[in-house]
Structures are given as C-alpha cells and as structure tokens.
Amino acid sequence: MPSDPISTRSKPDQAQRLLDLFAGAQDYHGTYNHLEVVSPKAGVKVEIKSSARTVKTGPTVELWRRHLAGVYPLGVSPHRSDDMCIWGAIDVDDYIAPSLLSDLNAIIERDKLPVTICRSKSGGAHLLLFATDPVPASQMQDFLRATAACLGLPPKTEVFPKQRSLSQLPPDDDGHKWPSWLNMPYFGGDQTDRFAVKRGGLAMTAEEFLYTAESRKVAPGQIAAPLPTRQSKPSETAPTVSEFDEWFAAKLLKLADAPRKDADNSLFRLAIDLGRWANAVNVDLDAGELKARAAWHQRGKSDADFDQCWRYNLNKGMRLGNPPRLVNGRVLPVVTNLSEFTIVPVEWLWPGRIAVGKLSIVAGHPGLGKSQLTMYIAAKVTTGGAWPFDEGVAKLGRVLVLSAEDDPADTILPRMLAAGGDPASVTVLEAVRAKEGDRTFDLSTDIDALDRELDDGDYVLVIVDPISAYLGNTGRMDSNSNTHVRGVLEPLKRLAEAHRVAIVCVTHLIKAGGREAIGSVNGSVAFVAAARTVLIVSKEIEEVEDEDGRKEKFETGRRLVAVAKNNIGPDSADQTMVYEVATREICQGIVAPYVHWAEKKQMTADEAIGYRNDTKPGPKTAKKDRAAALLRRMLRDGPVAMTELVRFAEAEGIGRDTLDNAKNQIGVKSNKTPGKNGAWLWYLPGRQEELPI
C-alpha cells in the first residue's frame, strides 16, 4: 500500500491527540478486513466477525495515522489492565436515521449530558464519554447506563467497558485477558462515514470532533455522582398496578369500539404499549392477551389476524421500555413494515377542510373573525351539526380549547352559545400546574400534559389560538426558525394521530403583501409544511366600474375562507366560502358574534388575498424573486439539505432551474457531507440573522 495517502490525508498531531483521547488497553488492539464490509442500511447489521481479530500489540500513533488514512481500521478497548477507564461508550447497534441522530443530539445538548455522538460502521451510533482522569470500570459502566436511560435507550443497550472487572473474563491459553474492543471513529479521516454529529445532524470534521471531545471531558467526581442528582428534571411518580389496570381497561374499550377500518392499528398500538407497561409493573401478559383477543373478536376480526400482529408488537414494546406516560423526550427508532398497515381513507372532521388525526392551520389578519370561525367549528363538533353548503355532518365529540387572547367567561362562552354549541362539551386549558405555581401551557415542554388530558377525554377537536402564544416561555423559541418550529410541531402532529383528534392552529398572515397565499402565513415555513390543510381568512373585496369607466375596489364587509393548501383533499377554487360576522343576543343584555354563511365563490386563495401574477414584471421574475425569498427564509438558521429545499420549492410552484438561478443570485453555497452517500447541503455564508427574508 503506498504511503502517500497516509501523509496527505491525516495529520500527526491529530493521530497523537486521538491516541491520548482513547487511551485504553495498552497491550492489544482490534482490527478487521474493511474491504469485506458493505455500506450500512436500515434494518441490516454490519457484521465483521469473520475477519475481526485481536492483535497483541497496543495502539500507537502510527496505527492511528493509518486508521485516519483509511487503510487500517483500529479498535481500542477502554478497559485497562488495572480495571480503570478514561473513556467509555454507549453502543447503539441499530441503524439510526439522520433526523433521529439530530434529535438525539438536541436532547444531549438540552440536558447537558457529557457525551458526543459518532456514527458507527453499522450506521448506528457510539455515544462517547471522556474523563479527565481514570475512573474504575464499574463506575464508568454505571454512569453510561444511567445516561442511556436518560436518553430513553433500551435497558439492554451495550456499553463499553463491557466488564466491571477483568476477574469476570476467562484467560486465554497464555493467561492473558482481552476485554472487548470498540471500532474507532474517523476511519478515513474527514472523508469518513464514521463522523461525530453536531447540531442539525451535520458531520464534524476530525478537528471539530477532537475539540468537542476534549472540551467535554468530565472529572471523576462527576462520573461517581448519581446522574439524576445532576439533572434539573423533576422526578415522576413510579407507575403502579392500579394505574396500569385503569389504562388497560380504557384501551380495551377503545379497541372493542374502534371503527373496523382502524381496528388493526388500534391492536398494534395496544400490544406495543402493553409490552412497555410490562417493563414497569407486574403484568399478567397471558391474561392481557386473552382480554385483548376478546375485544378483537367484538370487531368481527379473526384469530389469525390477531396472532400475526400481537406477539411481534408486544415484543417490540418490551424492547422499547417504559410505559407511554413515563416516556419524556425519548428518541428511539420505531419502525414498522409497510405491509403491516391497513389501508384506510382520510377521516374528515369537516370534509375537504379539516381532517381527524392531522394538523390544520387557520390564518388571517387580525380582526377578520378567525376566532369566530373556530368557535363555529367547535359548536358543530359538540352537537354533531351539519356543515354549510351540504358538505356533510361534523363528527360528534368534545373540544379542547387553548386560547391565549380571549377570556372564557366574556368571550369564548358567549361565542359558543351564539354558534349554537354545547358548552358542556368544551374544555378550556387555562394553565399547567407546576411546583413553582400555575403558568401558561408551553408546547415545547408540556406536551406530556396535553397527552394526558387527551387520553382522559373523548376529544375530537383541539383549537390552539394563536399557536405563537404556546411555542415556548423560555425566550429561546424563535417562531421564524424552521428548526425550532419543527421541534414543537412534530410532537403535536404525533399527538393528533395517536388520539385521533383534529388540531386546528390559528395564526396571522404577514403584513407585507405581494406573496402567494401559501407563502403569506406568518413565521417559519415549517408551520405550513407541518399542516395538512391551510385555510386563509381574508376580506372580500369587490371591483366596480364607475360611469367614467374607472375601476374602484371596495370592501363588502364579508369574509372569505379559501383553501391555500390541502395535501389530502381538494384545494380548487370552488372550495372558497363567504361568510358574514353577525350577532345575536344570547341572554338579556349580552350580544355575541357568530358566523353566518352566505355563499360559495369561484376564487383561489391567491385571489382571495389579492395576489396577482400580472402585477409583477413577469412570471419568470416573480418566481425568481419568490425562490430567493424562500431560500433566505429556509437558510436563515443554517444549512438545509438540497432535497428539502427542492421539495418546498415545488410545493410553491418553483422549478429546479429557477431555484438554481436564485441560489446564484443571492450567493448560496453548497457542500457535500462526508461519506459515500453524503447529502448536499445549501447554506448562506455570513451572519444569518442579519440577512433579509
């Protein structure tokens, strides 16, 4: 093998620093034939056992140099001959998607856990911990297991060192003991696919990794201290058998009453969650299976279908660990073969406009009656009333309202009564109760509280008005940040699906005009991306011609509701509706507004907000300007994958050529992440917060 790659692709100082950082067993190392290893992919473990071997010489700077050059894979054991360790690792074997690695890194940063994530050869992860001075292997092992538990990893996740003491290992024929070794990161230097992960799931260079690992070293006293005492999280009450019995009884009723089309999904969710409960309390799994089978039979379903689903998902739940209510901020890959799902149609709350189990947005300028519209929707749900223009009947159920701007007594209740709804079927979430007292509900931290409330009631609809008021109380939340908004909305979307509720979020439109409806929703583009349907509320403006032939525009006083986005149903111009905000007396001396529907109107959402392509210099220029604005918005917080940018552009009618032209116009740069299958990332150089959007 020529020596040129070694001298050109690695630096001696990096090799020495890595040798010092991973200072473990001094009398042996591990290696294998890397030419036989296939690229990692989901669901397939990369095996090296056929060529893996232990070499009875310790790691050296030269071996690290060859490792960085990609010509000799190096494995090191953290376990020294004196039963001490200066580093350790949590080994996640299963393939982890890049988005989950990013989420896992966010939790590590949030909870200030002193570990660094590295991709492994299998596409999984090694969570590496480094100490300033050696600690007993048993202490390192205990600390790593506690860290894995904090991250929600399964109880049987491997940690290195694997042994608490060398006395646990049998000697070989020569009397030597060889603790297990771990494959090292940066095989191939900066061209590796075994890179450390930084914010956003992006790859660190070898130099960045060394700096990060060296700066995160912890003192032996921190490793010896119990991990929970160093966390600021409040502890939760341990689950009890009575809590399980109450939960299981409710879930059996839901399974027995589930619509036939949803019975399969209800069963596999029940099996998974039962398995998770079995990790926390003494559950009679045989009795649980009999009860679940009986509820399954009530749906007219067969034993064969039950058997196919039950055992697989029960075991999956037992691997996942804690019961659903006890999982807080956990990041675990939960995968299901597509063939295990049952095809079901979209379940509509309001056909073509608001779907059950999905996130919807109602957007409009202040004072147009958005809250009256949501109260109208809530009223129909509480009574199972008919939708206007013969669009079907509302699904009957309870409504949960989060309203930061309207008082329940003098505004929400009168509007509900004026709309003909049943106030007894509406619950208002006014606050959450914490140790420090009552405070405003926060979607970024209190999603478990919302989960618990939805679990206890027969809710069909949740209204969040406005969504911006519930994005976070810490001051760190930026509603214009795609990353921040996605981090809040993704759990909310999962909640909607799990509880089969429609979640309607109210927001504003941007003040500046001249944009398409889909691009006029205030805040990050992530709001529109997360929603399956987006309804735009706007003023109705008519154009008339006077006696001299001059055209004038005037407001009619009526409101338009147009569909700006619908990923799961029709969004054509004939979906636009017109309403007036009328009033009626609900009791003596108290008058409240309500929605009075007038007609349907042939009009697109763009037309409803006054956007016209012909007001621009030309369609090509308009699209290029919109493409530039899209890139500035999405790249404001840092690099974004090119594939994601193209997808959002296509959703706004912007082609790839136009996007590339806009990229060159505003100076967007691109880089490819390391590895054979690295992704192209686009970014705007300079200080992102100073760029216009």
Side-chain angles (χ1 to χ4, degrees):
M1 178 67 68
S3 60
D4 289 345
I6 298 177
S7 61
T8 59
R9 292 177 61 189
S10 64
K11 300 177 181 179
D13 61 320
Q14 286 186 349
Q16 182 62 57
R17 288 164 69 190
L18 285 164
L19 178 67
D20 295 340
L21 195 65
F22 290 95
Q26 300 297 305
D27 53 350
Y28 70 97
H29 70 272
T31 191
Y32 62 93
N33 184 0
H34 64 284
L35 299 178
E36 296 180 358
V37 175
V38 297
S39 298
K41 59 182 179 179
V44 178
K45 178 175 171 56
V46 178
E47 296 285 359
I48 61 168
K49 292 180 181 177
S50 59
S51 64
R53 58 195 176 93
T54 298
V55 182
K56 298 179 181 179
T57 58
T60 62
V61 170
E62 180 61 25
L63 286 178
W64 266 109
R65 199 171 297 146
R66 289 167 59 80
H67 177 84
L68 286 168
V71 298
Y72 186 85
L74 178 64
V76 178
S77 171
H79 205 136
R80 300 183 180 185
S81 57
D82 58 358
D83 277 341
M84 302 291 280
C85 298
I86 202 168
W87 68 276
I90 302 169
D91 183 13
V92 182
D93 268 340
D94 295 332
Y95 180 89
I96 302 179
S99 60
L100 289 178
L101 274 183
S102 177
D103 292 343
L104 188 61
N105 199 49
I107 292 176
I108 288 171
E109 289 188 2
R110 182 196 70 193
D111 294 344
K112 296 181 173 55
L113 299 173
V115 292
T116 303
I117 304 175
C118 279
R119 273 283 192 198
S120 68
K121 67 173 179 3
S122 300
H126 293 158
L127 278 61
L128 300 170
L129 171 70
F130 301 97
T132 57
D133 297 288
V135 299
S138 57
Q139 282 188 7
M140 178 68 77
Q141 196 179 77
D142 290 342
F143 188 87
L144 291 170
R145 292 196 186 283
T147 303
C150 284
L151 292 170
L153 297 173
K156 294 185 179 180
T157 300
E158 276 191 329
V159 299
F160 286 74
K162 283 191 174 183
Q163 292 80 29
R164 299 180 71 80
S165 169
L166 292 181
S167 62
Q168 296 177 277
L169 285 172
D172 65 6
D173 294 340
D174 297 326
H176 293 289
K177 296 185 176 184
W178 312 105
S180 301
W181 46 267
L182 189 74
N183 287 296
M184 295 289 97
Y186 290 92
F187 176 62
D190 287 341
Q191 311 304 314
T192 186
D193 56 4
R194 302 184 204 171
F195 49 81
V197 176
K198 58 185 175 183
R199 181 169 296 182
L202 302 179
M204 292 187 194
T205 64
E207 194 65 30
E208 286 178 306
F209 165 69
L210 283 164
Y211 173 79
T212 302
E214 289 164 351
S215 64
R216 287 184 180 176
K217 285 183 178 181
V218 294
Q222 292 176 275
I223 294 177
L227 189 60
T229 63
R230 299 189 296 105
Q231 303 294 310
S232 58
K233 301 176 182 178
S235 59
E236 292 203 47
T237 305
T240 63
V241 174
S242 60
E243 185 184 359
F244 163 75
D245 290 339
E246 180 183 356
W247 170 87
F248 192 46
K251 292 300 180 183
L252 288 175
L253 287 175
K254 284 193 174 184
L255 176 61
D257 293 337
R260 187 176 178 84
K261 61 182 174 56
D262 194 44
D264 289 1
N265 291 340
S266 298
L267 180 64
F268 85 69
R269 284 194 294 265
L270 173 63
I272 288 174
D273 289 346
L274 180 63
R276 292 164 71 179
W277 272 102
N279 284 279
V281 299
N282 186 17
V283 175
D284 187 337
L285 293 178
D286 291 335
E289 180 179 342
L290 290 175
K291 291 178 180 178
R293 192 182 294 271
W296 179 253
H297 288 161
Q298 287 184 247
R299 307 307 310 131
K301 307 286 280 185
S302 70
D303 280 327
D305 289 338
F306 181 94
D307 293 336
Q308 185 177 4
C309 168
W310 184 259
R311 186 56 54 183
Y312 172 84
N313 287 291
L314 183 70
N315 290 338
K316 181 193 289 188
M318 295 177 74
R319 290 196 303 272
L320 291 178
N322 293 334
R325 285 189 178 176
L326 299 183
V327 176
N328 184 13
R330 302 193 182 285
V331 178
L332 293 169
V334 180
V335 297
T336 306
N337 289 333
L338 189 59
S339 60
E340 295 181 36
F341 292 94
T342 303
I343 296 176
V344 295
V346 174
E347 184 181 355
W348 291 101
L349 183 73
W350 185 345
R353 302 184 189 279
I354 297 173
V356 174
K358 311 293 182 184
L359 196 65
S360 299
I361 285 178
V362 174
H365 291 301
L368 296 185
K370 299 185 297 297
S371 296
Q372 282 95 329
L373 178 59
T374 57
M375 282 301 101
Y376 168 84
I377 297 169
K380 291 302 179 185
V381 169
T382 62
T383 59
W387 299 115
F389 311 114
D390 298 322
E391 290 189 347
V393 177
K395 183 178 180 180
L396 180 65
R398 294 184 57 78
V399 179
L400 181 64
V401 176
L402 288 75
S403 178
E405 297 177 349
D406 295 325
D407 185 272
D410 63 23
T411 304
I412 298 176
L413 176 57
R415 287 177 178 175
M416 175 57 57
L417 293 172
D422 177 12
S425 295
V426 179
T427 302
V428 179
L429 198 163
E430 297 183 89
V432 290
R433 185 152 297 164
K435 289 182 178 180
E436 62 272 18
D438 291 0
R439 58 172 172 77
T440 301
F441 176 82
D442 182 342
L443 279 169
S444 66
T445 58
D446 302 328
I447 197 72
D448 284 348
L450 184 56
D451 185 13
R452 196 177 292 260
E453 176 60 29
L454 292 177
D455 205 31
D456 293 339
D458 297 323
Y459 290 105
V460 170
L461 172 66
V462 177
I463 296 171
V464 186
D465 184 7
I467 181 68
S468 57
Y470 298 99
L471 291 179
N473 301 316
T474 63
R476 296 191 299 268
M477 180 64 199
D478 180 2
S479 62
N480 289 304
S481 164
N482 296 336
T483 303
H484 288 182
V485 173
R486 278 199 303 265
V488 173
L489 294 187
E490 282 301 321
L492 191 61
K493 287 168 58 180
R494 290 194 292 269
L495 220 58
E497 182 178 356
H499 292 284
R500 305 306 300 163
V501 298
I503 297 183
V504 176
C505 300
V506 179
T507 189
H508 297 299
L509 296 178
I510 58 175
K511 293 180 180 179
R515 296 193 187 188
E516 291 176 306
I518 197 70
S520 297
V521 176
N522 192 40
S524 163
V525 70
F527 284 111
V528 173
R532 299 300 85 196
T533 59
V534 177
L535 306 181
I536 300 292
V537 178
S538 61
K539 296 177 181 179
E540 183 186 43
I541 298 177
E542 296 285 359
E543 188 174 78
V544 296
E545 189 174 302
D546 63 16
E547 295 177 353
D548 298 326
R550 291 175 300 187
K551 293 182 178 180
E552 294 183 354
K553 295 180 179 180
F554 71 97
E555 296 180 11
T556 67
R558 304 196 303 179
R559 307 293 184 245
L560 302 173
V561 181
V563 180
K565 172 186 175 180
N566 192 340
N567 280 10
I568 49 180
D571 62 353
S572 55
D574 59 4
Q575 296 298 303
T576 298
M577 302 181 297
V578 184
Y579 72 87
E580 299 170 314
V581 178
T583 59
R584 63 165 50 108
E585 188 176 52
I586 56 172
C587 61
Q588 188 172 6
I590 297 180
V591 175
Y594 70 98
V595 169
H596 174 71
W597 296 103
E599 60 177 324
K600 273 193 171 182
K601 196 168 187 176
Q602 191 74 18
M603 178 178 284
T604 66
D606 289 345
E607 292 168 340
I609 66 168
Y611 175 80
R612 300 288 191 277
N613 268 331
D614 55 12
T615 63
K616 298 290 181 180
K620 290 185 178 178
T621 304
K623 281 193 175 182
K624 189 174 180 180
D625 290 343
R626 289 192 287 111
L630 171 71
L631 289 175
R632 289 192 183 101
R633 289 198 309 272
M634 294 196 67
L635 300 179
R636 184 174 184 135
D637 299 306
V640 176
M642 178 189 68
T643 53
E644 185 176 3
L645 293 168
V646 171
R647 181 166 58 86
F648 275 94
E650 289 175 348
E652 296 195 24
I654 299 169
R656 179 60 190 276
D657 289 344
T658 304
L659 194 67
D660 286 338
N661 289 336
K663 173 191 174 188
N664 296 330
Q665 176 189 347
I666 65 175
V668 172
K669 304 296 183 183
S670 58
N671 276 331
K672 190 177 182 183
T673 57
K676 182 179 179 182
N677 299 317
W680 280 100
L681 300 175
W682 288 14
Y683 66 96
L684 273 168
R687 296 188 59 185
Q688 307 301 320
E689 64 271 20
E690 295 178 355
L691 294 170
I693 61 170

